[in-house]
Amino acid sequence: MWRLALHNALQPLAHAKASEFISTRLLNKSLSCQGWRKFAGEAAPSPKTATPPRFEPLEDVPLDLNQFQVSPTRRRIATFFRIFLPVSATSCLVYAFTHPDEEQGLRMPPELQYLAAQQAENENVMTNWSATHEARPKRFFQPENEGEVEAFLRQASKAKQQLRVMGSALSPNGLGLSHEGTLSMALMDRILKVDPEKKQVTVQAGCRVQQVADALKPYGLTLQNYASIREQQIGGFIQVGAHGT
């Protein structure tokens, strides 16, 4: 009983102390937020009337415009490139679209071709028309003119190696094939001259029978006879005496 009476007697005192403590803390917080000026009785400046910070002006530095001037030589060079680069780029684009790629100047001379053939193995497999015989020569060349034919034969003679001339490989036997060296006439297929008065035509050895017939037709001429097929090369056609049967 006496504990309850003591508690009831001290409860108002505890409430008073707590209220005083809370009031003091709130007052101190309010004073700290408003600043020490208001606490000291001075008017705190409002945000709208606050004086902006002052910045001391820098000393004036004299500006020398001569250091930004470009020499006449550099100006001329810049003008040249400003005009030359767009023109050259446009020219390259126009040339690229108007001139298709052509493999020109990439063909090696016969001497270098023969030397390269000595170093690398040939991968071309030659097969006759009836597919009954085939061969993969160690050296395979395709001359374009008489000068290259002579050069290939000269190199083969120096190396003491054989070269066999090959036509269209239409023979049913394998006599035209060689495993050592082959000289194909496929690229020597031009019509050189047609003489209507003498009724003569001059062609390269690799020219085919059909090409000769087409070249003679505008002159009202033709061959006296044809073989059973028209893909023979004239060199082999004359050599074996084809008679058209």
Side-chain angles (χ1 to χ4, degrees):
M1 291 296 293
W2 63 272
R3 290 182 179 179
L4 180 59
L6 181 59
H7 178 268
N8 293 335
L10 294 177
Q11 187 173 5
L13 181 59
H15 281 281
K17 291 292 185 180
S19 300
E20 182 180 357
F21 176 76
I22 293 174
S23 299
T24 303
R25 293 296 301 271
L26 291 176
L27 178 61
N28 292 337
K29 186 175 182 181
S30 176
L31 291 176
S32 62
C33 291
Q34 294 181 6
W36 63 273
R37 294 178 179 271
K38 188 173 181 181
F39 179 77
E42 300 179 3
S46 60
K48 295 182 180 180
T49 60
T51 304
R54 290 185 175 182
F55 297 96
E56 295 295 334
L58 297 176
E59 296 181 0
D60 294 336
V61 179
L63 183 61
D64 186 10
L65 297 179
N66 294 328
Q67 62 182 344
F68 299 103
Q69 292 182 356
V70 181
S71 64
T73 303
R74 292 186 178 181
R75 192 183 302 276
R76 284 193 293 269
I77 294 175
T79 303
F80 169 77
F81 281 105
R82 188 164 57 248
I83 298 175
F84 173 76
L85 291 180
V87 172
S88 60
T90 305
S91 302
C92 291
L93 291 176
V94 172
Y95 183 85
F97 283 101
T98 56
H99 293 73
D101 294 338
E102 298 180 358
E103 294 185 0
Q104 298 180 354
L106 300 180
R107 184 176 176 85
M108 294 188 299
E111 293 77 9
L112 292 181
Q113 291 186 48
Y114 205 98
L115 180 61
Q118 300 284 69
Q119 306 297 328
E121 185 178 357
N122 172 50
E123 297 180 357
N124 295 318
V125 178
M126 313 304 299
T127 306
N128 67 336
W129 178 68
S130 57
T132 56
H133 300 275
E134 67 177 24
R136 188 174 69 176
K138 297 179 180 179
R139 296 167 298 279
F140 179 79
F141 307 107
Q142 290 182 300
E144 291 185 342
N145 50 59
E146 294 180 4
E148 291 190 357
V149 173
E150 295 175 358
F152 283 123
L153 294 178
R154 189 163 46 249
Q155 293 299 318
S157 177
K158 290 181 179 179
K160 297 182 179 181
Q161 296 172 341
Q162 295 180 352
L163 279 180
R164 179 172 294 178
V165 179
M166 179 180 176
S168 301
L170 293 175
S171 177
N173 55 54
L175 294 179
L177 303 179
S178 172
H179 293 278
E180 293 297 324
T182 297
L183 198 66
S184 173
M185 297 287 105
L187 298 182
M188 295 185 60
D189 59 351
R190 293 184 299 162
I191 306 291
L192 301 179
K193 182 181 178 182
V194 177
D195 190 344
E197 296 181 0
K198 294 183 179 181
K199 297 182 180 181
Q200 293 180 353
V201 58
T202 304
V203 301
Q204 290 182 321
C207 189
R208 300 177 185 270
V209 172
Q210 184 62 52
Q211 293 176 262
V212 176
D214 294 340
L216 294 176
K217 185 176 180 180
Y219 300 95
L221 301 176
T222 188
L223 296 178
Q224 186 174 0
N225 54 39
Y226 289 94
S228 57
I229 54 177
R230 298 170 295 180
E231 296 302 320
Q232 301 100 323
Q233 292 182 3
I234 294 298
F237 188 78
I238 296 175
Q239 182 181 9
V240 300
H243 50 79
T245 60

